[in-house]
Amino acid sequence: MLKVVHYINQFFANIGGEEMAHVPAEVREGIVGPGLAFQQAFGEEAEIVATIICGDSYFNENLEEAKQTIINMVKKYSPDLFIAGPAFNAGRYGVACGTIAMAVRDELNIPVLSGMYRENPGADMFKNSIYVVSTKNSAAGMRDAVKKMAPLALKLAKGEKVGASAEEGYMPNGKRVNFFEKERGSRRAVNMLIKKLNGKEFETEFPMPDFDRVDPNPAVKDITKAKIALVTSGGIVPKGNPDHIESSSASKYGKYDIDGIMDLTEADFATAHGGYDPVYANLDPDRVLPVDVLREFEKEGKIGSIHRYFYTTVGNGTAVKNSKAFAEEFAKELLADGVDAVILTST
Amino acid sequence: MKLELGSIFIKDIQFAAESKVENETLYVNKEEVRQIILEDQNFKSADVELAKPGESIRIMPVKDVIEPRVKVQGPGGIFPGMVNKVETVGSGKTNVLKGAAVVTTGKIVGFQEGIIDMTGPGAEYTPFSQLNNLVLVCEPIDGLKQHEHEKALRFAGYKVAIYLGELARNLTPDVVETFETPSIIEGFKMYPELPRVAYVLMLQSQGLMHDTYVYGVDAKQSLTTMIYPTELMDGAIVSGNCVSACDKNTTYHHLNNPVIHDLFAEHGKTLNFVGVIITNENVYLADKERSSNWSAKLAEFLGVDGVIISQEGFGNPDTDLIMNCKKIEAKGIKTVIITDEYAGRDGSSQSLADADASADAVVTGGNANEVIELPPMDKIVGYADVADIIAGGFDGSLHADGSITAELQVITGATNEMGFNKLSAR
């Protein structure tokens, strides 16, 4: 029977959420948490011999040490395959899964597999290096994820030929692989054209190279005369989040008045962001949206003025499409209001 | 223009004293076929072989594949301007020996012909493994120039196909399909609410045996023009190509153009199939600009909402493909392009030689560089020794036991850019 070692974070091991993200790596014999679903899918073909659990913060903050510890843990079991995750849309978990899977593959020379939502930052970082199965954006998609990951896992463990991304469910990894479609190419072309003509969504079989490059504007001629606006994806909002901007996958942005406000304080502002530790941002929201410093600059004549409103949203699992739509809308307002330059802050 | 296309199904092919079709079997008098080939003094000898689906046969090097057809009713004959007179074809009735084909072989340019395996993994990639093939093995006279050899072999193929097609003249087809293209105005009145669609068919015309003929005219000497879809079904466009096997459009592909058939299937339902724009793939920049300007202009002139663009060949023609796509999209007409890929043996290189953001709807026939293993066959029709030099083969492709390791490129029709096959890539 094939042996599998499974890597999960503190949340999926039922240790706790963000507040327990500091727990160091530990190994437990057999199945923990989502491993059960994998084990059921593997049946008699493979066995999860051990589960390694590590807090997301611990992993990312003690990178080298954590990597070495975990590699040693994996090595002990001499498995045929290493599975990390699935991490869905959890950014740090995704990055940890990708990092450790790649390290295990490189150090121990065994096949590895992870699963993530396509907008998880870990996906872009690792999809070209290891097989990353495309999952839904939350743990509610576990069944679907296991259904795709388990067959690919077995193929990898057995050293069988892996098919095209469209067949196997992994994210396109820059390596084109042939496979047979259900319909011939001309029929697929006709179907695609009908969709395109009717304004329906269609999927090209070969995406052109990414053309989304933004050339920087020329430098501001005289910054001492410039009207500057603040825009952030760090989720800073008036306390109480009056417009209910979502903590993840934001569908909206807010526009708030800072006329006369010299300093953002804990009393009046906070972050709505659900993807990072909010403690320091809430203690002093200027850390994310630097109103205090800009007011000083304004007073000293280093800049012309600060725009009366700031724009804010939550950049946590938020679709690029949404972000683009937000900016397209408020960029027009900024222009209409005579803003010369924008400082964009992220987290 | 209206054509009734009658199919007579062929399930077997055999040599016999008399050429005829009986009980779904095509009987061929070998000697008569040899004599047709040898009418051309450029051949010193000719042989004819059979290759049926499932047989352990490898045909190589393959030049062209041609389907036997006959004009039963209406003006003109099959292959107008080539074999028959330059009459406008595409209307009336045509009979087809469906399931049979003439395959021409010969060492013309050596590396620009392909392989058809009748069984095994290679057979899955070529549609011609499913046909009952009459294979012409023709030996040119000594000192015959390559382009003369190409021409002689091309005509041998047409003539034998017409000879076989004649056998279907008085037969009752098993299936009759009717294809009709109304005039622009009639079509608009019939389907005022449906999106209007044209097909932009790119013809290989890089020259020097990379040629396609339209009513006998070398496509590289023609401006972009228009043609009724049914004209192709009567052989108005034929292949004269010696190019990489996987994405050359054989005469069989032109006769059975899958984009035309699939657009007809939707005609009057989800779209209004207006007609076919044919354009070339010349090598000079000025020609590329002119031809693609004309494709875009004709699409605009026809007032279409969308087009499907199909390609032939790769590399240099990628620029024609992207120019056509870009310029037609710039007219506000939506496009889908059909191409194939050369992404390297590991699939990680850039697939096309040109790209543009407006090409956002692409159908791919697969990565032609992917390496395949072709097991030995019991019988080779043609010459096995070219395996090392045909496009897609490499030094050491041909192994001692007769098996071949080569890129998919070597298989005739494997990554066809008219979308003839199910192969794709991601």
Side-chain angles (χ1 to χ4, degrees):
Chain A
M1 194 183 282
L2 297 162
K3 287 187 288 181
V4 179
V5 171
H6 190 200
Y7 174 91
I8 57 175
N9 72 354
Q10 83 286 346
F11 176 77
F12 284 94
N14 230 355
I15 294 172
E18 191 57 34
E19 75 287 356
M20 296 305 285
H22 61 278
V23 299
E26 61 161 313
V27 61
R28 296 189 201 166
E29 298 282 325
I31 299 161
V32 179
L36 183 63
F38 278 110
Q39 189 58 64
Q40 282 166 353
F42 292 152
E44 295 298 308
E45 290 199 75
E47 184 190 4
I48 295 179
V49 290
T51 305
I52 294 166
I53 301 150
C54 186
D56 288 333
S57 297
Y58 183 85
F59 185 90
N60 287 300
E61 285 161 20
N62 305 277
L63 195 59
E64 288 313 313
E65 189 202 326
K67 256 165 51 175
Q68 206 44 59
T69 310
I70 294 167
I71 285 168
N72 289 337
M73 287 170 171
V74 178
K75 200 174 179 177
K76 213 183 91 187
Y77 293 92
S78 27
D80 302 291
L81 177 79
F82 179 78
I83 296 179
F88 304 103
N89 203 19
R92 282 179 309 157
Y93 184 24
V95 173
C97 284
T99 309
I100 194 61
M102 220 169 113
V104 165
R105 185 200 59 194
D106 292 347
E107 290 288 318
L108 304 180
N109 207 18
I110 58 169
V112 299
L113 176 66
S114 188
M116 297 175 207
Y117 180 54
R118 60 186 147 82
E119 290 185 12
N120 190 315
D124 261 350
M125 288 167 72
F126 295 102
K127 68 183 179 190
N128 287 355
S129 309
I130 60 166
Y131 287 113
V132 179
V133 166
S134 179
T135 71
K136 295 187 174 162
N137 66 355
S138 77
M142 184 64 82
R143 255 179 59 167
D144 171 74
V146 170
K147 209 170 107 189
K148 287 190 206 162
M149 287 174 75
L152 180 56
L154 289 174
K155 263 192 182 176
L156 288 168
K158 291 178 196 165
E160 288 174 2
K161 191 173 182 285
V162 174
S165 55
E167 292 175 291
E168 307 279 6
Y170 63 87
M171 294 178 187
N173 58 4
K175 281 193 180 172
R176 307 289 290 173
V177 178
N178 288 342
F179 73 107
F180 290 98
E181 283 272 11
K182 289 189 186 70
E183 291 179 307
R184 66 180 182 179
S186 52
R187 185 66 237 187
R188 306 201 304 273
V190 171
N191 292 347
M192 204 183 281
L193 184 64
I194 292 168
K195 283 183 187 167
K196 196 171 168 179
L197 284 168
N198 292 305
K200 289 191 183 141
E201 216 173 293
F202 60 90
E203 201 176 334
T204 182
E205 295 177 4
F206 174 68
M208 290 286 131
D210 195 358
F211 292 94
D212 194 12
R213 294 197 192 101
V214 182
D215 290 326
N217 279 330
V220 175
K221 283 205 182 96
D222 186 359
I223 194 78
T224 64
K225 302 278 191 309
K227 187 179 188 180
I228 294 172
L230 282 166
V231 176
T232 186
S233 61
I236 301 299
V237 290
K239 206 159 184 184
N241 191 7
D243 295 304
H244 308 288
I245 297 173
E246 298 89 341
S247 61
S248 172
S249 300
S251 68
K252 57 190 125 177
Y253 64 93
K255 175 188 180 183
Y256 304 109
D257 195 345
I258 45 170
D259 191 30
I261 293 175
M262 303 309 285
D263 186 10
L264 302 182
T265 66
E266 200 181 357
D268 299 311
F269 291 89
T271 182
H273 204 292
Y276 66 89
D277 183 342
V279 172
Y280 296 99
N282 286 340
L283 276 176
D284 184 0
D286 292 294
R287 287 178 170 139
V288 177
L289 196 78
V291 173
D292 55 355
V293 179
L294 281 175
R295 286 292 180 211
E296 283 175 32
F297 282 12
E298 191 178 33
K299 207 154 65 183
E300 291 164 15
K302 285 184 180 169
I303 59 169
S305 63
I306 306 180
H307 183 46
R308 177 168 177 171
Y309 301 98
F310 76 89
Y311 292 84
T312 180
T313 191
V314 164
N316 179 27
T318 300
V320 173
K321 208 171 82 184
N322 285 3
S323 305
K324 275 187 171 171
F326 301 164
E328 264 166 27
E329 210 169 70
F330 66 66
K332 285 181 197 140
E333 293 185 25
L334 290 168
L335 280 173
D337 289 343
V339 170
D340 300 300
V342 172
I343 294 175
L344 281 163
T345 64
S346 64
T347 51
Chain B
M1 183 175 279
K2 180 174 161 184
L3 181 70
E4 285 179 37
L5 197 63
S7 293
I8 291 112
F9 296 133
I10 299 298
K11 305 273 172 65
D12 192 13
I13 186 167
Q14 288 178 27
F15 287 126
E18 186 197 349
S19 291
K20 62 181 175 183
V21 174
E22 218 171 73
N23 298 327
E24 302 189 324
T25 300
L26 174 59
Y27 295 95
V28 181
N29 179 315
K30 191 174 181 172
E31 195 47 38
E32 284 180 19
V33 172
R34 284 188 66 245
Q35 288 315 315
I36 292 169
I37 299 167
L38 292 172
E39 280 171 7
D40 191 331
Q41 293 173 353
N42 287 314
F43 292 117
K44 65 177 175 191
S45 69
D47 200 2
V48 183
E49 303 250 18
L50 303 178
K52 306 178 200 180
E55 288 185 321
S56 182
I57 293 177
R58 170 163 299 144
I59 313 169
M60 69 186 291
V62 173
K63 180 187 185 288
D64 199 9
V65 184
I66 307 155
E67 186 171 57
R69 296 190 172 204
V70 63
K71 201 93 200 93
V72 179
Q73 207 183 80
I78 303 298
F79 308 131
M82 296 300 281
V83 181
N84 282 299
K85 286 184 178 164
V86 189
E87 189 76 54
T88 298
V89 292
S91 62
K93 287 183 185 176
T94 297
N95 279 355
V96 184
L97 292 181
K98 187 56 70 185
V102 174
V103 176
T104 56
T105 66
K107 285 200 261 187
I108 303 170
V109 194
F111 49 85
Q112 289 175 335
E113 285 88 41
I115 298 174
I116 297 173
D117 276 2
M118 298 305 291
T119 189
E124 292 176 29
Y125 290 104
T126 176
F128 307 122
S129 63
Q130 305 306 310
L131 302 178
N132 294 283
N133 296 309
L134 188 75
V135 187
L136 313 186
V137 185
C138 316
E139 203 55 37
I141 53 168
D142 296 337
L144 188 68
K145 295 234 167 36
Q146 286 176 330
H147 67 271
E148 288 167 336
H149 183 188
E150 186 281 323
K151 187 176 180 186
L153 193 54
R154 175 156 37 98
F155 276 90
Y158 302 147
K159 286 192 293 183
V160 173
I162 282 177
Y163 165 81
L164 295 180
E166 275 298 328
L167 305 175
R169 182 175 290 281
N170 298 313
L171 298 178
T172 308
D174 296 300
V175 173
V176 177
E177 294 167 283
T178 303
F179 302 97
E180 185 170 12
T181 304
S183 75
I184 305 248
I185 289 179
E186 281 168 347
F188 186 71
K189 283 182 185 157
M190 283 164 82
Y191 311 111
E193 75 290 357
L194 291 180
R196 294 159 56 72
V197 172
Y199 169 33
V200 178
L201 168 59
M202 294 172 57
L203 304 174
Q204 175 59 267
S205 63
Q206 287 179 270
L208 294 184
M209 289 186 281
H210 292 29
D211 302 314
T212 305
Y213 299 89
V214 183
Y215 281 95
V217 174
D218 184 340
K220 74 170 159 296
Q221 292 161 350
S222 169
L223 286 172
T224 300
T225 186
M226 287 186 55
I227 193 166
Y228 277 107
T230 49
E231 291 178 77
L232 277 88
M233 298 178 187
D234 280 343
I237 300 179
V238 295
S239 168
N241 283 328
C242 298
V243 290
S244 281
C246 65
D247 53 15
K248 87 152 91 173
N249 294 330
T250 65
T251 300
Y252 189 96
H253 288 112
H254 287 297
L255 288 165
N256 290 282
N257 188 307
V259 176
I260 288 175
H261 281 265
D262 289 341
L263 282 174
F264 265 128
E266 290 298 321
H267 180 60
K269 294 176 192 162
T270 58
L271 52 82
N272 176 2
F273 179 24
V274 174
V276 182
I277 296 168
I278 47 175
T279 186
N280 54 21
E281 302 176 348
N282 289 11
V283 289
Y284 289 103
L285 182 60
D287 289 340
K288 289 175 185 295
E289 292 286 6
R290 185 186 308 110
S291 293
S292 53
N293 288 345
W294 277 67
S295 301
K297 185 167 60 182
L298 286 180
E300 183 185 43
F301 208 151
L302 287 171
V304 293
D305 303 296
V307 299
I308 291 174
I309 308 171
S310 73
Q311 189 189 0
E312 181 171 6
F314 63 99
N316 191 299
D318 292 348
T319 58
D320 301 275
L321 175 71
I322 295 298
M323 279 186 195
N324 282 321
C325 174
K326 200 160 70 175
K327 291 177 184 181
I328 294 171
E329 283 277 346
K331 300 274 187 195
I333 298 164
K334 297 196 163 56
T335 65
V336 171
I337 63 175
I338 311 175
T339 183
D340 65 350
E341 302 178 52
Y342 287 74
R345 289 184 194 163
D346 71 348
S348 66
S349 305
Q350 189 179 315
S351 292
L352 295 177
D354 198 5
D356 188 80
S358 62
D360 64 353
V362 183
V363 166
T364 172
N367 177 17
N369 294 134
E370 200 164 281
V371 173
I372 49 163
E373 303 285 337
L374 303 173
M377 295 282 148
D378 294 346
K379 183 177 175 183
I380 306 290
V381 176
Y383 312 87
D385 56 312
V386 295
D388 284 4
I389 56 160
I390 54 175
F394 37 82
D395 202 22
S397 271
L398 181 63
H399 307 301
D401 65 351
S403 63
I404 293 172
T405 305
E407 292 182 8
L408 185 54
Q409 212 182 139
V410 301
I411 305 269
T412 300
T415 61
N416 180 268
E417 295 165 290
M418 289 173 171
F420 203 85
N421 310 326
K422 292 179 179 174
L423 189 69
S424 183
R426 291 291 190 285

